[in-house]
Amino acid sequence: MKYNILLYITIITIFSANIYGQSSKIAKADRKYDNFAYIDAIKTYERVAEKGYKSVEIFEKLGNSYYFNGQLANASKWYGELFAMKADVKPEYFFRYAQSLRAIGENKQADLIMQKFVELSTDDSRADFYDKNRDYLAEIKNNTGRYDVDSTSINSKYSDYGSAFFNNKLIFASARDTGSIGQRKHTWTNQYFTNLYVADLDEKLNPSNPVKFEGKINSKFNESTPIFTKDGKTIYFTRNNYLDGKKGKNANDVTLIKIYKATLVDNEWSNITEMPFNSDSYSTAHPALSKDEKTLYFASDMPGTIGLSDLFKVSIGENGTYGKPENLGVKINTPGRETFPFLNDENEIYFASDGHPGVGGLDVFVTKINDDNTYGDVQNVGADINSPKDDFAYIIDSKSRRGFFTSSRDGGKGYDDIYKFIENKPLTCEQELYGQITDVDSKEPLPNAKVSLFDKKFTEIATTTADANGNYTFKVDCGKTYYVRAEQPDYNTREEKVTTSTEKGRTELNIALEKITCKVSVGDDLGHCFGIKLIYFDLDKSDIRPQAELDLEKILDVLRQYPNMKLDIRSHTDSRGSFKYNESLSDRRAKATIKWLVQNGVTADRLIGKGYGEYQLVNKCVDGVSCTEEEHQFNRRSEFIITDL
């Protein structure tokens, strides 16, 4: 697009990373139940960690416990311990740690952690200033191939752009020379000032026979981008600051552009007035109407603009009054240029921008205007419409899916040309995201669990409640990344990442929750509360290893909480090795476990133990049967059976 038109005002959006809010409070474990003990694993983890024992699992769970509970100072403490271990940490923990650090004012350290997060998560754009690495070209590619595009016969060797539908005709702006003696050229570009022209449309919306638009709309200066009310009696259009033979200028002696309105009286356009929100000190341009015609959208660089030009809206009163212009916000507008808005009958707003990621120059984008006047994700309509040059002024007929846009792409006839298209495949592709919320141990469904849906920037999109069978569903877009958070009283909150299929259909995401409190009774294995499957010893030895001490500290903490609890400590081996050797080794290990607990304050009369060798295998892996290492692992186990409460 050349410099020939002062009317080309455009704008972009800053994507802000919204930090999601607190999850529900973790339930307290201080309730009393007859004949049962409720083990608060998180509190045990914390007490064990305070004694100096270190574990990735412990620090992850402690950090998450406080993070989801909104206690970010405590979360930063335990996430800090996690990162100090220099272990392999999932990218998500970099994000959570950074947000926790910001909460305590450690912004410099948070920036370093966030930078690492971006390096590990190139497809995640939760922070606007880290969004530069986003692979937006792949998204544009996914949106390409939906249109058939062709040039139109109405183009001239001059600039033709900015079309609108009106009474089965196409109205557009053109700088073509009509041969008039009074026709004037713009001194900057040697292009004629633009006037409005009208072309007939056939049944397939092919335009032809363009002639100058009749009436008083056209002047000796620029006119462009009209929009008509459905009854055809009102037109809004863009023009240089010129009315009733008088040209207005700003403080720098520059004639800017304004939005004007005219009405059809006795088949003639008259009563030309400028909008009350116009000004000599800034420009307004490219009007567009909402479906109900109660809101006027436009582009401007008025005070409050985020970038070079932004999209605004203003309410239209029943008595013809206008409200105060409202910026569409950072979801739409960027530090660049947003311009040429158009709204279709499906409450979608199309606009041109050079601030949102595109393929070059101005690109055409679209987003959905939700019922609550918020906006959906901004999407590039694809490389069929968009080119490395400027592409803008997109309009579409919702029924026929035919429309027009303007482009300065190579191969055109003039400076800017109007192209026609037919949309063969809609951009919006809907998926049903569904799943079941269950108990991780019992596999039973969790009715009435709270399930929340977040986009990839962790902005909350929707919340629902799981049904009686623990099932939930959300309507989402195809090929997008989401986070689903499940919450239930007495359970640890859990969040899962999911990317939906690129085709219309269903995507399944089941979430299993762990209980905060571990309910045990006589005969249960206390080790299950902490995921203790095996007390680790060195090969063929019974010396307590540091990892074994960490797990035994958990058992010790519970025994101190419940002084009447007694345990039968059992050690098992797999079938490899002789019966006698396995029995002897496992018995020494059981005795070593008891000895450690007694040395740390548990009275001996509360503990019994025995090694069972390979006599109590839990699967087929007896001598002579070929088994995998994983199958043998099931038989190598430690048990802490509760014999009394």
Side-chain angles (χ1 to χ4, degrees), residues 295 297 313 326 328 347 368-375:
T295 306
Y297 292 78
K313 66 178 181 179
E326 177 183 344
L328 297 195
N347 222 26
K368 183 80 172 181
I369 303 177
N370 301 317
D371 293 339
D372 60 356
N373 288 320
T374 60
Y375 303 97

Side-chain angles (χ1 to χ4, degrees), residues 1-2 136-137 140 144 147 149 337 352-354 356-365 380-392 394 405-412 415-417 419:
M1 184 174 63
K2 307 302 183 291
Y136 65 88
L137 291 176
I140 295 174
T144 302
Y147 292 92
V149 176
R337 301 172 297 157
S353 171
D354 64 2
H356 292 282
V359 297
L362 290 172
D363 273 21
V364 176
F365 296 85
N380 188 298
V381 300
D384 305 311
I385 299 296
N386 294 317
S387 71
K389 299 296 182 66
D390 285 326
D391 306 282
F392 55 100
Y394 177 107
F405 71 99
T406 304
S407 178
S408 63
R409 64 188 59 193
D410 295 337
Y415 283 76
D416 297 302
D417 289 312
Y419 292 81

Side-chain angles (χ1 to χ4, degrees), residues 90-108:
K90 296 177 183 178
E92 182 59 32
Y93 288 97
F94 285 82
F95 178 81
R96 294 176 187 171
Y97 187 29
Q99 304 311 316
S100 301
L101 286 170
R102 293 195 192 285
I104 59 173
E106 296 289 342
N107 291 317
K108 185 174 291 186

Side-chain angles (χ1 to χ4, degrees), residues 540-542 581 583-593 611:
D540 293 334
K541 294 182 179 180
S542 56
Y581 177 80
E583 182 178 9
S584 175
L585 178 63
S586 63
D587 195 62
R588 291 198 307 272
R589 289 177 171 178
K591 297 279 191 300
T593 300

Side-chain angles (χ1 to χ4, degrees), residues 108-128:
K108 185 174 291 186
Q109 179 67 9
D111 287 340
L112 295 175
I113 297 297
M114 198 66 185
Q115 181 60 49
K116 185 64 176 177
F117 168 73
V118 172
E119 295 172 6
L120 296 173
S121 306
T122 55
D123 63 341
D124 200 311
S125 56
R126 278 174 274 179
D128 57 345

Side-chain angles (χ1 to χ4, degrees), residues 242-307:
Y242 179 79
L243 184 63
D244 297 331
K246 297 179 181 180
K247 181 173 66 173
K249 297 181 180 181
N250 66 5
N252 296 320
D253 203 34
V254 175
T255 299
L256 301 178
I257 53 177
K258 295 182 176 182
I259 296 174
Y260 294 86
K261 171 185 175 182
T263 55
L264 189 65
V265 179
D266 297 328
N267 293 320
E268 290 189 5
W269 292 104
S270 58
N271 302 324
I272 299 176
T273 57
E274 66 170 275
M275 293 294 96
F277 47 83
N278 287 341
S279 171
D280 289 343
S281 61
Y282 57 79
S283 289
T284 58
H286 315 316
L289 284 168
S290 61
K291 180 181 178 180
D292 60 10
E293 300 185 346
K294 293 181 179 180
T295 306
L296 184 72
Y297 292 78
F298 61 96
S300 178
D301 59 352
M302 65 174 55
T305 299
I306 295 169

Side-chain angles (χ1 to χ4, degrees), residues 27-34 36-38 489-490 516-517 562:
K28 300 293 184 181
D30 57 0
R31 291 165 289 181
K32 298 179 180 179
Y33 292 85
D34 294 335
F36 291 101
Y38 284 82
D490 298 331
I516 294 174
T517 55
Y562 296 90

